[in-house]
Amino acid sequence: MKDSYYDKGFEEFELGKVINEYNGIANVFQSFYGKDSEGAEEKGINSYQLVYFKNRWWIANMVWTF
């Protein structure tokens, strides 16, 4: 028996974001609305810490909460 969560998964929609960047280091706060395959709906926030190295941004850390 296959779990529908793996077929439909989790959808996340951005509501807004704030980016603070200085000298190759950035922090992004992104608010979101999410819905899973079972119909549960939540709002939450993602926090990304990024580093610019060799011509691209790399994710150094990520934290999220509902």
Side-chain angles (χ1 to χ4, degrees), residues 33-61:
Y33 159 81
K35 185 175 180 180
D36 70 14
S37 62
E38 296 172 349
E41 300 178 21
E42 296 283 343
K43 287 185 179 178
I45 190 165
N46 296 322
S47 176
Y48 302 89
Q49 288 71 47
L50 307 167
V51 177
Y52 194 78
F53 181 70
K54 292 192 177 183
N55 298 317
R56 65 166 279 192
W57 287 99
W58 297 83
I59 298 173
N61 187 44

Side-chain angles (χ1 to χ4, degrees), residues 7-53:
D7 288 335
K8 298 179 185 174
F10 181 80
E11 291 184 281
E12 184 174 296
F13 306 95
E14 181 180 272
L15 299 174
K17 68 180 161 195
V18 176
I19 302 170
N20 293 302
E21 185 264 330
Y22 179 76
N23 201 22
I25 297 174
N27 185 68
V28 180
F29 282 107
Q30 176 191 45
S31 58
F32 69 87
Y33 159 81
K35 185 175 180 180
D36 70 14
S37 62
E38 296 172 349
E41 300 178 21
E42 296 283 343
K43 287 185 179 178
I45 190 165
N46 296 322
S47 176
Y48 302 89
Q49 288 71 47
L50 307 167
V51 177
Y52 194 78
F53 181 70

